[in-house]
Amino acid sequence: MLGGSVYIAFIRFALSLVGTILLFSLLSEPRYDRRKTVVCYILFGVAVTVPACIWYMLDWSNCVRIVAFAMFVCFCVFAVFMSRDPVYLTVYKLALTFYLLAVFLIGGIEVSVIFFDRNVWADIVTRIVLITFMAYFIDRKIKVDIRGFGYYVENELDRFSVGVMIISILFGIGFIMNPRAAEQTPYHLFQIITNFFLTGALQLLIFRLYLHIGKEREYQKENQLMQMNHRLLERNMEILQESVESGKRIRHDARHHNAVIAEHARRGQNEELLQYLKEYDREMNEHIAECICANTTVNNLLSAYTRKARREQINVTLDVDLGGNLTIPNIDLVTILANAYENAIYGCIEVKKQSSERECFIRLVLKRKKNKLAIICSNTCRIETEMKNGQPKPEFTGGIGVLSIIKTAENFGGEYDFKNDNGVFVFRLIMNIPAAT
């Protein structure tokens, strides 16, 4: 180590801590607002650097060997409470910050030793340059990607893989910062460079891997949306075809009705004519399309899927209380309802294939209360329907729509759950209704 007075040590401690806080703040999502975050970090910095300086004065030899690691451990504990990210994701970002800390710590010392004859100010200036460069690069180039990558890690990466990855990074950095490796030989410098390269390459590979996995999942969502749109178009074509057939039937029947009415009129059979008109009116009322709710889009959607379900001999029960002035965009509402109803029909059809004795049903509840919208859809499903991460596996839903439902619901602060209740699949969702603008 380079040594120096306690004032120089204080500057180096403070600089290292500020650099660590700055880099971690760029990578993570803060739990509090900016002002409170800055105040907390300042108080933490004072609480850590002052004891470090006292330790430096009392026991210089042990302090210079492990003070950086001790301060970082304290920072790790504090950072867990300052970050809004899940704990294991915060730990991963702390491991990445530890790697960057090692870069500017070792980089500053090596530059000072090799080029400036162990000048402490050269070490300090080098640290400032490296921290500034890394902060600028992260802020301008990769901050958005690394936070998006954090989202993919949170949703795709299992805990065991996180643990193995972090341990690998810490072992690599621990070897680099080995306090006993004090000899400045070409071989030692080669070891440092090689370990930095390997540890950085590990970070890059993990980043690229899970970025690819996350984007692949996004493509799957888009593919599901396309399949959903295809099925909705099929339902609309069915409605159009039914309308055409109904129009042909009405025109054909109208000629017969007109002939009967004309014949009663010629014969002066007024009583018979009135009776016939009453029967005709009753028959027309029976064929009027079912009015499920006042919202036209939801009404047409539910009507189309209900007809499809009943053609499959599925018992459908609807409890819908929804006005026409809903502020949720129709496309989002259709995404949730169409996917839920489509999956329910698919589940019932799969049960019929497995056993013709089980009675298949779909119950759909759609209620609005103040600024909340509640959706409950339950249907017969295969008893062996399995869940993964709180969601049904794609093979039990036809691979359609669950991710689309979740993504759309989260856009409105929705809370949802899926469960298999002994052969009855239940989907529940409560979401916020935006205020009218």
Side-chain angles (χ1 to χ4, degrees):
M1 295 299 174
L2 302 179
S5 68
V6 68
Y7 303 105
I8 296 297
F10 174 78
I11 293 174
R12 295 170 72 193
F13 293 159
L15 181 59
S16 299
L17 191 59
V18 168
T20 303
I21 291 173
L22 176 61
L23 297 175
F24 178 76
S25 299
L26 291 173
L27 297 174
S28 66
E29 293 284 351
R31 185 184 300 272
Y32 308 109
D33 60 80
R34 179 175 296 181
R35 181 178 179 182
K36 186 175 181 179
T37 299
V38 171
V39 171
C40 290
Y41 276 130
I42 290 174
L43 295 175
F44 170 77
V46 173
V48 170
T49 53
V50 171
C53 290
I54 296 174
W55 185 13
Y56 184 85
M57 290 186 296
L58 297 178
D59 189 3
W60 178 87
S61 59
N62 288 323
C63 178
V64 295
R65 284 202 297 266
I66 61 175
V67 67
F69 182 76
M71 291 176 67
F72 185 76
V73 170
C74 295
F75 174 76
C76 290
V77 176
F78 185 72
V80 170
F81 296 97
M82 294 298 295
S83 176
R84 194 171 59 186
D85 296 322
V87 174
Y88 66 94
L89 183 56
T90 300
V91 172
Y92 166 74
K93 292 183 177 180
L94 284 169
L96 177 57
T97 305
F98 192 22
Y99 172 75
L100 299 176
L101 168 66
V103 170
F104 69 75
L105 281 182
I106 301 300
I109 293 173
E110 294 299 324
V111 168
S112 175
V113 170
I114 296 173
F115 299 105
F116 297 96
D117 193 26
R118 296 180 176 271
N119 186 292
V120 292
W121 293 107
D123 173 35
I124 292 172
V125 171
T126 303
R127 292 188 188 190
I128 293 174
V129 171
L130 289 175
I131 291 171
T132 303
F133 172 76
M134 288 188 291
Y136 178 83
F137 183 77
I138 292 173
D139 185 61
R140 296 292 182 180
K141 300 296 183 180
I142 65 172
K143 182 171 71 173
V144 175
D145 289 339
I146 200 70
R147 288 187 176 181
F149 164 70
Y151 171 79
Y152 296 143
V153 170
E154 179 184 354
N155 288 273
E156 307 294 342
L157 190 62
D158 60 277
R159 273 66 167 181
F160 177 77
S161 298
V162 171
V164 172
M165 178 177 60
I166 291 172
I167 290 172
S168 301
I169 294 171
L170 294 180
F171 270 125
I173 300 172
F175 181 82
I176 294 169
M177 300 183 69
N178 180 11
R180 296 182 180 276
E183 299 180 4
Q184 302 298 326
T185 63
Y187 178 70
H188 174 63
L189 185 61
F190 173 75
Q191 285 181 314
I192 291 176
I193 294 173
T194 301
N195 276 277
F196 269 129
F197 173 78
L198 293 177
T199 307
L202 174 62
Q203 291 281 345
L204 180 61
L205 288 174
I206 294 296
F207 175 81
R208 297 285 295 178
L209 172 63
Y210 284 98
L211 195 63
H212 173 75
I213 292 175
K215 288 183 177 180
E216 186 68 24
R217 180 60 64 90
E218 293 293 331
Y219 294 149
Q220 290 179 8
K221 292 179 182 179
E222 292 178 3
N223 182 51
Q224 288 187 354
L225 285 173
M226 292 176 63
Q227 293 184 50
M228 183 200 71
N229 290 333
H230 176 71
R231 294 192 178 188
L232 286 176
L233 287 174
E234 288 181 342
R235 299 293 89 77
N236 289 332
M237 290 298 295
E238 291 175 3
I239 294 174
L240 180 60
Q241 184 65 29
E242 290 176 0
S243 299
V244 171
E245 295 296 330
S246 177
K248 290 180 180 179
R249 186 176 63 254
I250 290 173
R251 288 192 297 271
H252 180 269
D253 293 344
R255 291 196 296 269
H256 297 289
H257 292 311
N258 290 338
V260 172
I261 292 172
E263 185 64 24
H264 281 306
R266 278 196 298 269
R267 296 183 179 185
Q269 298 173 336
N270 295 331
E271 293 296 329
E272 289 81 354
L273 176 59
L274 291 174
Q275 182 63 30
Y276 179 79
L277 291 174
K278 288 180 181 179
E279 292 176 359
Y280 179 69
D281 184 61
R282 184 169 58 253
E283 182 182 352
M284 290 297 294
N285 288 332
E286 290 177 355
H287 289 86
I288 292 177
E290 181 181 6
C291 181
I292 299 173
C293 69
N295 188 292
T296 304
T297 301
V298 175
N299 188 81
N300 293 338
L301 174 73
L302 296 182
S303 296
Y305 277 99
T306 300
R307 284 195 293 271
K308 175 178 173 60
R310 287 171 177 166
R311 282 198 297 269
E312 298 290 344
Q313 297 182 342
I314 300 171
N315 183 23
V316 178
T317 303
L318 300 176
D319 184 6
V320 181
D321 183 11
L322 197 65
N325 59 341
L326 202 64
T327 54
I328 298 176
N330 287 332
I331 184 64
D332 294 315
L333 202 56
V334 165
T335 297
I336 295 173
L337 292 177
N339 280 306
Y341 214 150
E342 186 82 44
N343 291 341
I345 294 173
Y346 177 86
C348 290
I349 292 175
E350 289 299 302
V351 169
K352 285 182 174 293
K353 291 179 182 179
Q354 189 180 57
S355 173
S356 58
E357 297 179 357
R358 288 186 64 187
E359 180 182 359
C360 292
F361 67 87
I362 297 175
R363 299 191 185 100
L364 179 63
V365 179
L366 187 61
K367 298 285 186 178
R368 174 180 182 174
K369 187 173 183 180
K370 296 182 180 179
N371 66 330
K372 299 288 185 181
L373 178 65
I375 301 174
I376 303 174
C377 183
S378 57
N379 62 274
T380 311
C381 70
R382 293 164 60 183
I383 297 177
E384 63 269 23
T385 298
E386 297 180 8
M387 312 292 287
K388 181 180 180 181
N389 298 328
Q391 303 172 23
K393 289 186 175 181
E395 57 266 30
F396 297 103
T397 62
I400 299 296
V402 173
L403 294 177
S404 299
I405 291 174
I406 293 173
K407 186 175 182 180
T408 304
E410 288 177 346
N411 291 337
F412 296 91
E415 297 182 4
Y416 54 86
D417 68 354
F418 305 87
K419 67 176 181 178
N420 177 7
D421 188 9
N422 195 28
V424 177
F425 185 81
V426 181
F427 159 60
R428 298 183 296 181
L429 167 66
I430 297 179
M431 56 192 291
N432 299 320
I433 300 175
T437 55

